[in-house]
Amino acid sequence: MSLLEVNDLRKTFVRGHGRRRRVVDAVAGVSFAVRTGETLGLVGESGCGKSTTAGMVVRLVEPTSGSVRFDGTELAGMPERRLRLLRRDLQMVFQDPQSSLNPRQTVGTILSAPFQIQGVEPDGGVLPEVRRLMDRVGLNPEHYNRYPHQFSGGQRQRIGIARAIALRPKLVVCDEPVSALDVSVQAQVLNLLAGLQEEFGMAYLFVAHDLAVVRHLSERIVVMYLGRVVEQADREELYRAPAHPYTKALMAAVPRPKVPEERKKVLLTGDVGASGPVGGCPFRPRCPRYAAELNEAERAQCADEAPELVPLSPRQSAACHFV
Ligand code: SF4
């Protein structure tokens, strides 16, 4: 059984007023599952709904509809009091370590909070456990009386990670945990997350805008575009033979010394949703395949019918009429 099962999850926001009022589907029916101990990467450009999806999984964002089952229990509609108990097993690492840590609390207080909130008394007491945690994530345990501003960005993210893993949760939702960090620090934090997973057997839902970042950690990857899943595949399948034109374009954006000629052709232009809502396939305004390779009848199909996610093999699905 999967540890996390997300089914047809939706979030709509209302934008504007009066005659300009319109309902926007930030997440338009997303489904995926995370197994015990694995990492599922959730990838897409900014504005694709991946962080809203992550927020709904931990119920920091209230879903409009759909189901989130964690460890066999439905989270949608669960009262906050029961949710608090479940948060022992379901934690989050935030994108911006600066704003996710209380600047008026010392690291010792920040890292003691999970134990106090959940009423857990570790063997030997909370303070020695906090110091052990700091040491495990690569911080000097002597610095437990310091405040977040006295640490670098990478060290602050280590504090956020220590707080998330303090109670050995079953699932950690990592929302772009390295995108605010210097490139030189990103690899260290990714290695730390990989080491902690190996040691404690936690599952990760790892959100990123960059396929290069999720590659090393994720066994499976879900690619989102405009609130929908456009491709879902095992890592090997996705990197060896990406199926959806959007995944191919994301792949082409991964920095590498030499981008092959055939990949250069699919570099993306424009922003997510830059052309506003369209009928048919949501990726159509930016789709290199639609623009250059399809005949008139095929283009009409893209314009009329929104493609469903269909299996191409047991380990890969894509939502495109012409993969
Ligand atoms: Fe491109 Fe058509 Fe496939 Fe959409 S359905 S991704 S427009 S080829």
Side-chain angles (χ1 to χ4, degrees):
M1 192 182 73
S2 298
L3 178 65
L4 176 74
E5 286 174 18
V6 171
N7 264 308
D8 200 20
L9 198 60
R10 291 168 189 270
K11 181 70 190 177
T12 53
F13 293 106
V14 176
R15 297 256 160 82
H17 300 283
R19 288 169 61 192
R20 292 176 170 234
R21 183 180 186 275
R22 66 188 177 105
V23 176
V24 179
D25 289 325
V27 178
V30 162
S31 302
F32 57 82
V34 183
R35 301 181 205 117
T36 302
E38 80 161 349
T39 299
L40 180 77
L42 193 57
V43 181
E45 291 163 287
S46 141
C48 74
K50 59 191 188 304
S51 287
T52 306
T53 302
M56 286 193 283
V57 166
V58 292
R59 278 279 301 279
L60 288 178
V61 177
E62 199 61 40
T64 304
S65 66
S67 159
V68 178
R69 285 188 80 79
F70 174 67
D71 214 9
T73 306
E74 177 61 55
L75 301 192
M78 182 182 277
E80 181 55 39
R81 191 171 41 82
R82 277 191 65 204
L83 260 181
R84 210 176 305 139
L85 292 175
L86 262 176
R87 290 222 164 91
R88 178 171 178 169
D89 287 325
L90 174 59
Q91 284 289 326
M92 188 156 186
V93 173
F94 296 88
Q95 176 178 358
D96 181 4
Q98 174 85 21
S99 60
S100 68
L101 303 174
N102 186 335
R104 291 188 197 87
Q105 291 183 341
T106 64
V107 178
T109 307
I110 290 169
L111 296 183
S112 303
F115 299 99
Q116 278 147 9
I117 291 167
Q118 296 290 340
V120 174
E121 182 66 31
D123 291 343
V126 173
L127 185 57
E129 182 63 21
V130 164
R131 292 165 67 113
R132 258 197 301 278
L133 259 178
M134 290 181 72
D135 186 47
R136 178 60 192 88
V137 299
L139 296 168
N140 185 342
E142 301 304 318
H143 293 168
Y144 71 94
N145 257 336
R146 293 191 178 182
Y147 290 87
H149 74 269
Q150 295 174 291
F151 293 86
S152 68
Q155 288 171 326
R156 280 196 290 265
Q157 194 55 297
R158 287 172 192 268
I159 299 168
I161 291 169
R163 177 176 60 184
I165 64 151
L167 299 174
R168 309 285 184 268
K170 293 178 181 169
L171 175 69
V172 181
V173 177
C174 303
D175 185 13
E176 303 235 27
V178 297
S179 59
L181 304 178
D182 289 347
V183 175
S184 58
V185 182
Q186 289 186 359
Q188 296 167 14
V189 172
L190 291 175
N191 286 339
L192 172 65
L193 286 167
L196 292 169
Q197 185 176 44
E198 206 172 299
E199 187 175 343
F200 302 124
M202 300 167 288
Y204 291 145
L205 175 60
F206 195 98
V207 177
H209 61 265
D210 182 343
L211 273 168
V213 167
V214 294
R215 179 171 197 162
H216 300 292
L217 278 177
S218 310
E219 283 96 356
R220 292 183 303 122
I221 293 166
V222 169
V223 181
M224 284 184 70
Y225 186 79
L226 274 183
R228 295 159 181 83
V229 174
V230 294
E231 185 159 1
Q232 188 166 153
D234 286 5
R235 174 180 50 195
E236 284 71 27
E237 301 297 312
L238 194 91
Y239 285 90
R240 190 177 54 78
H244 195 282
Y246 179 59
T247 316
K248 290 182 186 179
L250 281 184
M251 211 71 98
V254 171
R256 65 191 78 206
K258 195 164 181 279
V259 178
E261 278 308 312
E262 73 277 11
R263 291 229 170 137
K264 279 184 187 166
K265 288 181 195 155
V266 296
L267 287 173
L268 271 181
T269 54
D271 293 329
V272 174
S275 312
V278 292
C281 175
F283 187 53
R284 183 165 50 93
R286 299 171 78 198
C287 179
R289 192 128 202 240
Y290 176 86
E293 294 173 29
L294 303 183
N295 63 35
E296 208 171 308
E298 290 169 334
R299 286 158 64 98
Q301 191 178 353
C302 297
D304 293 341
E305 292 171 33
E308 299 285 327
L309 195 67
V310 290
L312 309 172
S313 77
R315 299 200 305 266
Q316 188 168 26
S317 311
C320 169
H321 297 307
F322 304 106
V323 288

